[in-house]
Amino acid sequence: METKIKGIDGIEEGARIIKEGGIVAFATETVYGLGADAFNEKAVAKIFEAKGRPQDNPLIVHIAGIEDAQRAAELTDTAVKLFKAFSPGPLTLVLKKKKELPYAVTAGLDTVGIRMPRHYAARALIQKSQTLIAAPSANSSTRISPTTALHVYEDMRGKIPLIIDGGDCAVGIESTVLDLTGNTPQILRPGAVTIEMLLKYLPEVKNFQGEIKTAPSPGMKYKHYAPIVDCVLSRTALSALKEYKRARAEGKKAVIMGRKGYISDKSVDFIDLGQTSEQIARNLYRKMREAEKIYNLIIIEEFSRKDLEYSIMNRLIKSSQGVII
Ligand code: AMP
Ligand code: MG
């Protein structure tokens, strides 16, 4: 199958493919998504096949307006309040699913993740398809999520007919997943809508911190966000440099990645992730994909555990399999 990349002029064609039961990759503000008609089980199955995604990892249902949510989920007052506060944007709410939504989307769960993306391409595609779009990230399973159309092409070439290129993703990491089905709202996956932001609207929010085996969000148990080369986190610039020199002495092509100015020694290969945490989130996956093509050891600065840096660290701990030096 030929995989075309089109700009927003490809939205009409994308909507036609979705209506006909096909799959299409499209830009969102978080990462690129790979979408299908959420009410068409066969179409949804194609997503799992193209990604090599385990069957028990649920997809997120993308909507264009709050009214749309009712077609797939039971809306609660809290959900409406949060949608009004943070949507369109990088927040996915886990709610009780309606029976009309096939279990293929939720991987057999009675709950469903619902998100209203902000990106024009995603919104127009949902509206023109006249349905809701079930979509995970558009990468091959276990790979780094795509933040450019070219990343999608690298992973999905020959497997999908169309990629709708909407430029580089503004947020750069996946949405915050907030479960509203328990007694206390619980963040299953931290993202750009942080716990600090949610606590302005909710009296209580928990961060998921359990064992991966008992993860209530099935996606959490899989290896994720992993570059194809070794990756470690460094507690200090000094430990990063030590590891860099040790690896280089062994003939390994090492690189250090971090906030602007983390490493000042010009003789060291250093990848600048940007200054603010927003810039770091936006650049992270792109720089990781670039680095893994050239280097075989990526040493990444350990960030704080506050605000957006908490969400960045959540991905980095997975990328490095928790190795901090
Ligand atoms: P992706 O967009 O590729 O990151 O995949 C969607 C992710 O959303 C899954 O891996 C889960 O972590 C999360 N998710 C989606 N639906 C649910 C749900 N019903 N319950 C818990 N987590 C969910
Ligand atoms: Mg994903």
Side-chain angles (χ1 to χ4, degrees):
M1 179 189 303
E2 189 207 347
T3 302
K4 283 185 282 189
I5 303 182
K6 288 194 171 179
I8 49 174
D9 56 316
I11 289 173
E12 293 284 348
E13 184 180 345
R16 187 167 42 75
I17 295 171
I18 300 270
K19 279 185 185 171
E20 288 169 356
I23 56 176
V24 175
F26 58 98
T28 86
E29 71 278 17
T30 56
V31 300
Y32 274 70
L34 180 59
D37 178 350
F39 297 97
N40 181 338
E41 248 174 278
K42 278 197 185 137
V44 168
K46 290 179 187 168
I47 295 176
F48 284 85
E49 196 191 323
K51 282 183 59 97
R53 186 174 177 97
Q55 293 295 331
D56 62 348
N57 195 357
L59 312 183
I60 291 170
V61 172
H62 292 74
I63 60 174
I66 296 186
E67 333 66 72
D68 288 350
Q70 325 237 28
R71 296 180 58 190
E74 305 286 352
L75 265 183
T76 60
D77 291 347
T78 306
V80 171
K81 180 164 79 174
L82 293 175
F83 273 135
K84 284 192 175 150
F86 296 105
S87 295
L91 177 66
T92 297
L93 297 180
V94 173
L95 302 165
K96 286 217 173 77
K97 105 179 212 342
K98 286 230 170 112
K99 63 175 185 318
E100 290 77 14
L101 187 76
Y103 277 115
V105 174
T106 67
L109 297 173
D110 287 316
T111 58
V112 57
I114 307 267
R115 180 167 102 82
M116 193 193 305
R118 187 168 66 211
H119 196 293
Y120 171 79
R123 301 179 63 74
L125 185 68
I126 300 165
Q127 279 160 345
K128 295 225 154 91
S129 305
Q130 295 171 308
T131 185
L132 309 186
I133 296 186
S137 51
N139 50 290
S140 298
S141 193
T142 81
R143 292 278 297 125
I144 303 167
S145 293
T147 58
T148 70
L150 229 49
H151 294 166
V152 180
Y153 192 72
E154 279 175 3
D155 284 19
M156 291 296 151
R157 184 181 184 175
K159 294 181 179 165
I160 63 172
L162 178 65
I163 301 167
I164 298 171
D165 184 351
D168 292 2
C169 299
V171 175
I173 58 171
E174 304 81 353
S175 62
T176 303
V177 177
L178 181 71
D179 184 358
L180 293 179
T181 64
N183 291 333
T184 307
Q186 175 168 234
I187 295 177
L188 302 178
R189 176 174 76 187
V193 173
T194 62
I195 195 164
E196 291 84 353
M197 290 158 75
L198 289 167
L199 280 168
K200 297 206 167 98
Y201 294 86
L202 298 169
E204 227 187 339
V205 183
K206 286 193 289 195
N207 257 321
F208 174 77
Q209 249 140 14
E211 266 283 289
I212 286 180
K213 272 191 297 238
T214 59
S217 183
M220 294 161 87
K221 76 175 190 239
Y222 297 108
K223 187 175 163 199
H224 253 139
Y225 324 110
I228 50 181
V229 299
D230 289 343
C231 179
V232 296
L233 301 185
S234 52
R235 201 139 269 167
T236 63
L238 211 63
S239 62
L241 283 170
K242 217 169 126 194
E243 176 66 8
Y244 178 89
K245 287 185 179 139
R246 191 198 56 72
R248 288 267 165 169
E250 277 178 8
K252 264 196 178 172
K253 278 199 96 177
V255 65
I256 303 176
M257 267 167 70
R259 193 187 298 273
K260 190 181 187 63
Y262 184 56
I263 301 293
S264 47
D265 184 341
K266 293 273 177 292
S267 69
V268 170
D269 283 17
F270 174 64
I271 296 176
D272 175 357
L273 287 174
Q275 182 78 61
T276 64
S277 44
E278 284 75 17
Q279 287 167 350
I280 294 169
R282 190 178 308 142
N283 292 329
L284 183 67
Y285 290 161
R286 180 167 46 83
K287 301 272 181 178
M288 270 163 86
R289 278 192 184 242
E290 282 165 15
E292 70 180 10
K293 294 198 174 85
I294 305 169
Y295 299 98
N296 50 28
L297 173 65
I298 307 176
I299 304 162
I300 311 185
E301 174 179 0
E302 180 191 25
F303 296 102
S304 83
R305 316 273 166 144
K306 272 206 247 107
D307 299 298
L308 184 54
E309 289 188 23
Y310 178 87
S311 310
I312 294 169
M313 277 304 292
N314 167 271
R315 310 307 193 269
L316 289 182
I317 285 167
K318 289 173 186 169
S319 303
S320 63
Q321 315 212 5
V323 181
I324 306 181
I325 50 156

